[in-house]
Amino acid sequence: MDGGRRAILRSAGQATLVALAAAAGLIKPEDARAEGWNKSAFDARSLGEALKGLAAGEPAQSKDIAFVQTPEIAENGAVVPIGVASALAKTEAIAILIEKNPNTLAAVFDIAPGTEAAVFTRVKMAQTSNVYALVKADGRYYIASKEIKVTLGGCGG
Amino acid sequence: MLTIAAIALAGCATTASDQEIASKATAILKQSFKPAGQAGLDRLEQDDAQRICSAAAGKPVSREAAAEIEKANLATIRYPADGKLVGDWRNGEKLAQEGRGKQFSDDPRGPVGGNCYACHELTKSELAFGTIGPSLYQYGKARGQSADVQRYTFGKIYNSEAFAACSNMPRFGYKGILSEQQIKDLTALLLDPASPVNQ
Amino acid sequence: MRRSSPEGRRLAARARAGLRALFAALAVAAAPLAAAQGSVSEEIAKYRAALQDGNPAELWEARGEGLWRERRGPKQATLERCDLGKGPGVVKGVYAELPRYFADTDRVMDLETRLVWCMVQLQGYSEADAKRNPFGSGNDKKSDIEALVAYITSESRGVKMNVPLTHPKEAEAYGVGEKLFFFRGGTHDFACATCHGEDGKRIRLQELPNLVTKEGAQRAYTTWPAYRVSQGELRSFEWRLYDCFRQQRFPELVFGSDAAIALTMFLARNSNGAVFDAPAIKR
Amino acid sequence: MKIRASLAGDSTEVKVLMSHEMETGQRKDANGQTIPAWFIQNVSVTWNGKTVLSAQWGPAVSKNPFLSFKFKGGTKGDKIVIHWVDNRGDRRTDEAIIA
C-alpha cells in the first residue's frame, strides 16, 4: 500500500509544484471580523474548488482520520450523521465535504487547543456520494473519504 | 349447492354485537373524513370485493367467496384491442419507481406510478425494495414470454383480484390508476428479455 | 481553517508534503470500500443508532412545556389546570393511559382531542382556532398542538402502557378501531392491514410493524410521536394516522375525529404492557 | 437551543440541538418559486469565556442542526455559552451549566 502510493505520488510530483504555485496566490488575508464565513469555499461546486477555497492545496491521504458513528447507508439524505475524528497531532481544523452535493463544502470546525479533535454533526446529501474529511494539523492538510449511500425509504409517495 | 353456501355463511356469521360495531364503524368512517384534492368521499364507498375482504379481517375468505370475487374481477379485464400486451420496459421501470398518484396531495394531472418497488424486488440495482409482494426478479426469465404468460401478466396488473381474491395488490387497470399503455410497459418490464428484471 | 498559518510555514509544509499529490489521495480515496460492507439492514440499523443521540424532538418538548405554562388565549390562562385523565395539571404518565373515557365530555378522547378541549375550556379559544394548525410545517407554521404533544408524551417516557377498556365507550372505540383497521377502500383497495397485517414485511426499505400482534403494536405505538428526519418535523400519532390514510389514497382524516380516536384506541390498547419510549426519532 | 454539557472523566462533553430551518436555497415552493437560502453560518462555543470550538456552516448542515464534541477541563457549574449567526444576520445565544 505504502510503496504503491509513493510510486504514484512521485509521478505526480511535478504537477504538485505547479499547483503549489497557483495555490500560493490564493491564500486569503485574515478576515478582520471575528466571525468570518469563507464564501469562496462554500460556493465551490467541486472538491478541487472547495479545497482551493480553503487554501488546503493538495491534502495528503491519511489513515489517522476516521469516520466514527457514520453509517455507510443513510435511510434518508436529509439527515446523514457524520462524525470525524483526527489522531493527527495539533489538529487545528476539521472540514466535511460532500462530492456530489450542489455545494461541496458542508462545514468547517476550528478546534481550539484542549478540544478533542472529534466532531459529530448531521448533513444533507443530495445523492449517494463520497464524503471527505479534511483535517488541518500542525499547519498541514490531510484527507480521508468514505462513500455513503443514500436510499429511498418510506412509501415512495 | 345453495345449502352448502348457506351453511358456510352461517359458519362465519357475526354476532349481533359485532354487527352493531360494524355499522357503528361505517357511520363513524363517513363523519371522520373530508374531501381533499382529488380524493372525494366516494373513495369510502366499498365495492363487493372491498367489503367482503374487509369483513374477513385479515383471515382468508371462504373458498366460495374467493371464487365469486375472482370471477367478478376477471370479467373486468380489458385486454388491448391491438392484441399487443408488451410495451417499453424503460418506461415500465420509471413507473415501477414512481410512488405518486391518486393521493389527495398529488397533482391530479400526474404523474401516476405503479410504485412496484414499494412491495416487490424487481432488479438487482435497486436496493430499496419492499417485501409485501413476492420478488419479481427474473420474472420473465423464469416464465418465458408465451401468449399465456403475457395475458396472465397483463391481467394480473390490470386486476389482481381476478387471480387472487383479497390480494394486497391494487387493481391498476380496473380502478383506473394506470392506463392500458402503462400496464403494457409494466408487462414489458417483467417479460422483456432486455429488461433489468431479467438480467 | 480559514485562518491560514504564516505563508512561509505553509510553503515549507507544502514542500514536505510534495509527495502527497491530491490526485493520488483521491485515487486511493475513490477505491471501492472492499470488505466491511455490512448488509443493508445492518447499515440502516447503524444509521438509526447514530441518530438516537441528539433528537431534535427535544426542541419541540421545550417549546411545548413553555406553551403549557404560558398564559394564552382570550382568557389569558395557562393549561396547568387541564385534566388529561389523572387530575387537573397532572402530566406525568398520562399519555400511557390515553385514549380514555372522560365523564365531563361523555366521550373517549385521545391526547390531541383533550388538549383542544382544554384550550377551549381553559383558555377560551374557539374549537376551530384550537384545531386550526394541528400539524406543523416549517418555521412559519409551527403547530402548538404538536409541541404540547411532544412535551406531554415525553413525561410518559419509561412508563408502562396501561390503556383502560373498562367503560363501554372505551370498548366500543376499540371495536370500531379494529374494524377501521381492516377497512379496504379507495382507488388502491388499501387498508391499514395491507401494510401492517403480516410479520417481517418492508415497504421499500422501511420495516412495517405487524400491528395485529401485540409485539408489533407495542414496538410501533411506544415510538410515536417522533421527529421525522425526512420532514424535519415532530409528528404526533394523529399525524401518523392522517398520513397513512393519505398514502392509502383515502380522503383526508379529520383531526380529532372519532375514527382517529378509535384507531388510536385500538393500537394503544394493543400496546399495553410495553414501556413508552417517545418522542423518538425516525426516518 | 437545547444544550447538554456533562463531565465525562477529565473532559466535558457538549451536545447541542439548534432550532433552524437550514433552507438550502435549492428548493422550490408550491408555486415554483425558489425558497431563498437561510442557514446558520457561524457557531461558537465558549467555556468560561474561552472559545473551545467555532464552526462555519453551509446550507448542507441538516435542519435543526446537531453538534457534539468534547474538550479537556471543565467542572460542574461552569458556564457554556453557544452563539450562532445566520446568513440573514439573525443571532441567538444560549447558555448551559456543566452538569
Side-chain angles (χ1 to χ4, degrees):
Chain A
M1 170 81 194
D2 258 338
R5 187 162 90 202
R6 275 198 203 98
I8 300 166
L9 293 171
R10 252 197 310 276
S11 70
Q14 204 156 7
T16 308
L17 288 174
V18 179
L20 275 177
L26 287 162
I27 295 165
K28 288 164 189 59
E30 199 69 59
D31 196 323
R33 290 182 355 187
E35 290 168 329
W37 190 71
N38 189 338
K39 188 171 187 309
S40 68
F42 280 104
D43 283 350
R45 302 185 84 84
S46 70
L47 183 63
E49 264 183 60
L51 292 174
K52 260 192 216 170
L54 291 165
E58 291 123 6
Q61 175 84 10
S62 173
K63 285 183 175 170
D64 291 322
I65 305 170
F67 287 92
V68 281
Q69 289 176 35
T70 306
E72 284 173 10
I73 299 180
E75 205 174 6
N76 192 281
V79 177
V80 183
I82 307 256
V84 177
S86 163
L88 294 156
K90 297 186 185 171
T91 292
E92 301 158 39
I94 294 173
I96 298 167
L97 303 101
I98 300 154
E99 193 168 27
K100 290 192 183 163
N101 268 8
N103 297 99
T104 310
L105 180 62
V108 182
F109 299 88
D110 285 320
I111 313 288
T115 295
E116 279 186 27
V119 288
F120 301 85
T121 189
R122 293 164 187 172
V123 297
K124 298 167 201 156
M125 287 180 63
Q127 56 181 305
T128 296
S129 170
N130 277 325
V131 175
Y132 293 88
L134 176 74
V135 169
K136 182 184 182 187
D138 201 15
R140 299 188 220 171
Y141 289 89
Y142 303 88
I143 200 163
S145 79
K146 178 186 175 84
E147 188 192 45
I148 300 179
K149 293 190 179 74
V150 175
T151 62
L152 178 62
C155 313
Chain B
M1 193 65 182
L2 275 173
T3 322
I4 293 166
I7 291 165
L9 279 174
C12 54
T14 52
T15 64
S17 77
D18 189 56
Q19 267 169 3
E20 273 170 32
I21 291 283
S23 58
K24 185 98 194 172
T26 309
I28 281 177
L29 196 78
K30 299 233 153 78
Q31 300 155 9
S32 296
F33 286 83
K34 60 184 177 192
Q38 58 180 299
L41 292 180
D42 56 311
R43 292 196 182 179
L44 300 175
E45 303 293 338
Q46 292 179 310
D47 67 13
D48 285 349
Q50 290 176 332
R51 193 170 36 74
I52 294 164
C53 298
S54 299
K59 292 167 198 75
V61 292
S62 71
R63 194 178 296 192
E64 293 82 0
E68 284 289 324
I69 289 170
E70 287 166 13
K71 189 177 154 205
N73 280 280
L74 191 62
T76 70
I77 299 177
R78 300 279 170 271
Y79 285 96
D82 64 5
K84 279 195 193 142
L85 273 57
V86 182
D88 177 1
W89 68 261
R90 286 175 191 82
N91 193 44
E93 165 69 13
K94 283 189 200 119
L95 291 165
Q97 291 281 4
E98 178 58 63
R100 286 170 292 181
K102 302 290 182 189
Q103 296 168 129
F104 63 68
S105 52
D106 291 330
D107 188 332
R109 291 166 297 180
V112 177
N115 204 15
C116 312
Y117 282 104
C119 298
H120 295 283
E121 180 184 30
L122 285 149
T123 59
K124 281 294 157 196
S125 56
E126 180 54 85
L127 296 176
F129 60 85
T131 59
I132 296 169
S135 171
L136 300 175
Y137 179 60
Q138 299 202 327
Y139 177 95
K141 202 170 182 177
R143 292 169 181 79
Q145 287 204 84
S146 67
D148 281 352
V149 168
Q150 289 184 20
R151 266 183 89 75
Y152 169 74
T153 304
F154 183 97
K156 176 77 184 181
I157 301 167
Y158 193 99
N159 189 336
S160 59
E161 297 212 41
F163 308 96
C166 305
S167 166
N168 283 332
M169 180 166 152
R171 296 173 284 179
F172 289 103
Y174 171 60
K175 297 288 267 184
I177 302 163
L178 297 176
S179 69
E180 180 183 284
Q181 184 57 49
Q182 288 175 316
I183 297 173
K184 287 182 179 186
D185 293 341
L186 286 173
T187 304
L189 179 67
L190 291 171
L191 293 180
D192 194 320
S195 157
V197 167
N198 296 316
Q199 303 313 308
Chain C
M1 202 158 285
R2 193 183 46 78
R3 297 177 189 89
S4 46
S5 42
E7 199 168 321
R9 189 178 156 204
R10 171 185 295 277
L11 286 172
R14 286 276 177 70
R16 277 201 305 279
L19 293 174
R20 301 172 176 123
L22 173 61
F23 294 158
L26 294 188
V28 174
L33 295 153
Q37 281 259 16
S39 74
V40 171
S41 56
E42 277 169 30
E43 287 302 320
I44 295 283
K46 275 192 215 164
Y47 172 85
R48 289 175 191 163
L51 290 183
Q52 294 310 314
D53 192 17
N55 182 349
E58 289 182 25
L59 299 166
W60 273 258
E61 292 168 25
R63 185 168 159 260
E65 184 170 5
L67 288 170
W68 180 257
R69 301 183 196 291
E70 191 184 325
R71 292 179 184 281
R72 303 168 75 224
K75 293 188 187 171
Q76 282 298 293
T78 76
L79 287 169
E80 288 166 302
R81 299 295 298 160
C82 177
D83 183 354
L84 296 170
K86 292 168 91 84
V90 178
V91 173
K92 195 90 204 155
V94 290
Y95 192 66
E97 296 181 24
L98 287 170
R100 71 187 301 154
Y101 173 80
F102 286 88
D104 53 13
T105 55
D106 189 30
R107 193 185 163 200
V108 174
M109 299 167 101
D110 63 355
L111 173 59
E112 288 91 326
T113 316
R114 189 65 183 177
L115 278 170
V116 167
W117 189 80
C118 283
M119 288 168 77
V120 171
Q121 296 298 314
L122 301 174
Q123 298 181 314
Y125 287 106
S126 71
E127 191 176 327
D129 278 345
K131 285 182 172 174
R132 182 145 296 154
N133 187 21
F135 311 130
S137 162
N139 213 55
D140 305 329
K141 193 174 161 261
K142 284 189 168 148
S143 165
D144 293 346
I145 292 275
E146 274 180 336
L148 285 162
V149 164
Y151 162 58
I152 292 157
T153 56
S154 76
E155 291 287 312
S156 286
R157 192 188 292 279
V159 178
K160 263 194 188 156
M161 291 301 300
N162 185 24
V163 176
L165 214 55
T166 43
H167 193 276
K169 289 202 173 179
E170 290 168 347
E172 182 187 285
Y174 180 91
V176 167
E178 184 172 23
K179 292 281 175 216
L180 297 178
F181 185 83
F182 290 104
F183 183 91
R184 288 165 68 115
T187 53
H188 285 54
D189 302 325
F190 289 153
C192 305
T194 306
C195 288
H196 296 290
E198 281 182 82
D199 284 339
K201 297 291 182 186
R202 286 192 336 216
I203 190 158
R204 286 278 185 169
L205 279 182
Q206 193 75 26
E207 288 94 349
L208 296 161
N210 180 355
L211 300 176
V212 177
T213 65
K214 189 162 191 69
E215 304 73 46
Q218 287 181 330
R219 214 168 45 242
Y221 194 80
T222 56
T223 54
W224 285 95
Y227 180 78
R228 288 291 302 274
V229 303
S230 50
Q231 304 174 18
E233 294 286 346
L234 179 119
R235 294 309 191 189
S236 62
F237 200 72
E238 282 245 6
W239 177 88
R240 177 60 285 174
L241 294 175
Y242 161 92
D243 207 54
C244 273
F245 279 118
R246 179 182 67 83
Q247 291 176 309
Q248 273 173 245
R249 276 71 183 172
F250 276 43
E252 185 180 332
L253 180 67
V254 174
F255 179 76
S257 62
D258 284 337
I261 294 166
L263 267 167
T264 304
M265 176 54 111
F266 175 62
L267 297 166
R269 170 73 188 186
N270 287 349
S271 76
N272 265 8
V275 174
F276 186 72
D277 191 22
I281 181 164
K282 292 171 189 272
R283 181 197 68 80
Chain D
M1 255 184 273
K2 187 92 186 173
I3 305 168
R4 258 197 206 108
S6 51
L7 276 184
D10 60 349
S11 293
T12 299
E13 183 172 40
V14 179
K15 289 181 183 174
V16 55
L17 284 160
M18 306 171 196
S19 185
H20 203 283
E21 286 298 300
M22 299 302 286
E23 191 61 58
T24 59
Q26 316 262 354
R27 296 196 312 151
K28 289 189 167 41
D29 66 15
N31 304 319
Q33 299 289 311
T34 300
I35 305 170
W38 181 29
F39 58 97
I40 294 174
Q41 286 188 316
N42 292 92
V43 181
S44 68
V45 183
T46 59
W47 159 52
N48 289 345
K50 170 184 175 275
T51 298
V52 286
L53 189 87
S54 57
Q56 296 174 47
W57 286 353
V61 171
S62 298
K63 181 173 174 176
N64 299 316
F66 171 73
L67 169 65
S68 161
F69 69 100
K70 286 181 190 168
F71 66 87
K72 282 252 161 17
T75 49
K76 280 190 181 166
D78 285 359
K79 198 199 274 182
I80 301 289
V81 179
I82 302 184
H83 172 74
W84 59 249
V85 55
D86 69 21
N87 67 322
R88 291 183 184 174
D90 292 341
R91 292 163 184 278
R92 182 160 181 119
T93 304
D94 283 281
E95 297 178 2
I97 299 299
I98 298 177

